[in-house]
Amino acid sequence: MIYGILLESCRDGICHAYGSATWQRVVEELNFESESFTTLGRYDEALVERIAECLSEALGDGGVDFYMQFFGECFVTFFTNYGYDKILRVAGRHFRDFLLSIDQLHDSNRFSFPKMKSPLFHVTEEDENGAVLHYKSKRRGFQQYIIGQLRACGHRFFKQEILARVQDDLSSNECNHIVFRLDFNNTSGSKTKRIVPNPKLSDVTSSTFFKVFPFSIVIDARMRIHHMGDSIKEIFPVGTVLIGRHFDDVFRLIRPDIVLEWNRIISHGRHIVFVIENRIPLRPNASIVAKKFGASSNAQLRLKGQMKTVLAWNMVVFLCRPILTTTEEMLSVGLFLHDLNFYDGSSEILIAGMQHTRTLQIAIDKQQAWVAKLKGSKRELQEWRRKGKRLLYNMMPRHVAQLLQDGVLANSICESHKLITCLFAYSIGFKDVVQKLKPDQIVESINATVNAFDQCSEHFDVFKVETKADSSYMVVAGIQDRSVGQRRGSTTSGSTLHSGTLTEELGGDIKNPLGLNQAEIIAGLSLELIKSSKRVISPLTQQPFPVKIGFHSGSAVGGIVGAKNFQYCLFGDTINTASRITTTGEAGRVHVSDTSYALLRESPYFEIQSKGKTELKGKGTVETYWLVGPKADYMAAAEQDPFRIHEESQSAVGQHQANMYENTAIQKLDPDKTRNGSPPVHRANMARRPSIASGTCPFSGQQLGNKPK
């Protein structure tokens, strides 16, 4: 896991270098929940490399290594913009001093990032032309990221161009171990000779040395403890044998992650911070005061410091101090201010540090609480955005809603559809009934009709254009097939199998798994409307309202009407013809025009019969048809549909709106091209239709109870 500050620096760098649109594309490709990251949040470390891969594919002008180096440079820039550059600037006068201080810099950030698993940086060789740097970490794939960081630090803080390359890869299954060769001007880092030599002083005795360093451990070449400072001895039980024991028997090496060997201690001891912890138990119940304050008797003591080689002794001295943040910790291990190093002000630093630590911890706790609250707010915001989009996509076609979201002026949206299928449903006698009802009864009756019809249309890939006060219901199929960039000349007549990113975003169902063309979709809907209309009861006659249904296919023009309350409207002869087809039909039957019949005549799902010649106002006599009903295949699919309308359900407006939020699905249509100006005929349905007995519902896409073996 890594902190979000690394990912946030990647986002910031991409936005500045390649624009916000590129970052938005990365967010969509990788399906991120949010467009930004919280700096103290914890994320998967693989996200950095995934972003680099996505950026490489999207831009096509560099490989993954190039963008990993770029992200390393972005981190230094991001780090600097937040004021952390002061820590890096005081790391050393020269770049080689900075390399030797990286380990201490990571250790200084332990309060801001308490769960940080910092890598190990260790300089093993150096000359006038550069140095050899070892990088060791549990994370993998970050070597190019480190190169980018080193180059950015050298250029920004030390005005040097750093040439970095991977010299060797010593990685194992446990960790990633990379050896870098860094080429830079290292002549200024060498020590200059003093003109005035230091005066010669007598050697310091060992007793004086251990008084100055009460927390110290002397280790010989066999890694055995040769001597200990008095303050360390006091924390162990009286009589415990410590001198002469192997160092690893008494203490556990916490950091760095190396094998506890003499040569490795000598190599790393120059500039690496060591942390050890006691293996054997400390003195139990160290003081009566500790019991009084409820301090733990099973405490662990950690010592932090550096390993220094004393050539005259041929030994290594671990000069350390206890890691203590609270007075309770001091009491639990049996230490007092008198035990600390008096000459270097350790006690004063500890007291001040305890106060600052407590204040800092309170601030960190508050920040983490705000981070958790921010995450919840982001999730809530995303959910409300989804609900808003669902509502918007019910008010107008998907592609029109996307145009409005992209900033296109509403009244500038006007488009032509070469082929759509328009359905009208009229409740006969509704006008006469409402004249005898009270206002609240009129609204209730209209709601009952609209809700019953809406529940049907929700399961089909159609768009409801309008509902009038006379309870007429208008639905079209074919206008949902258009993409955002396709604003002219819709040629849609074909199927809608899947939605694009909108379906994933809104979590919608697949509404047309059988691959029906637009006329077949309307035919299936009209049969459901006939069934549903039988549940809409007249409050006067206590009988169902007789309903006429008809549909027609043809061209139309659509656009946004209004400046405040936007409404998507369709205009053209197709709309008028569909209305006349409906009015010339019969109650309880579905009247079909000749152009719609051309899209249905090869359908294996619906049975059509000729009505004969029909007189249409302004059209003359035309051949029309009756939709008799569904065939066996369609009936088998409908019986397995878990979303069938229950006979007893007559939901109120509130329930309808809830369903509208939760069940709206967005599909992306595949337009079929017209040929020679004639309406296209769907001829590829059988190739796309799944078997009814496949164990998957053809309407919802869900697995059924009896799965094929």
Side-chain angles (χ1 to χ4, degrees), residues 124 189 221 223 254 260 297 330 370 382 413 443 445 479 533 559 617 638 648 687:
T124 56
M223 296 303 298
I254 303 299
L260 198 61
S297 60
M330 289 188 65
W370 279 107
Q382 293 295 330
I413 299 176
V443 174
S445 297
I479 62 174
S533 65
K617 182 180 178 181
E648 68 276 6

Side-chain angles (χ1 to χ4, degrees), residues 679-693:
V681 178
H682 187 73
R683 292 186 172 90
N685 282 337
M686 293 304 293
R688 289 198 298 263
R689 293 185 177 95
S691 171
I692 301 301

Side-chain angles (χ1 to χ4, degrees), residues 552 554-557 571-580 617-619:
H552 171 66
S555 60
V557 174
F571 309 93
D573 184 65
T574 297
I575 311 302
N576 297 329
T577 303
S579 177
R580 289 164 186 159
K617 182 180 178 181
K619 294 290 183 180

Side-chain angles (χ1 to χ4, degrees), residues 211-212 214 340-347:
K211 285 181 181 179
V212 176
L340 302 181
N341 194 343
F342 176 75
Y343 304 101
D344 62 0
S346 296
S347 58

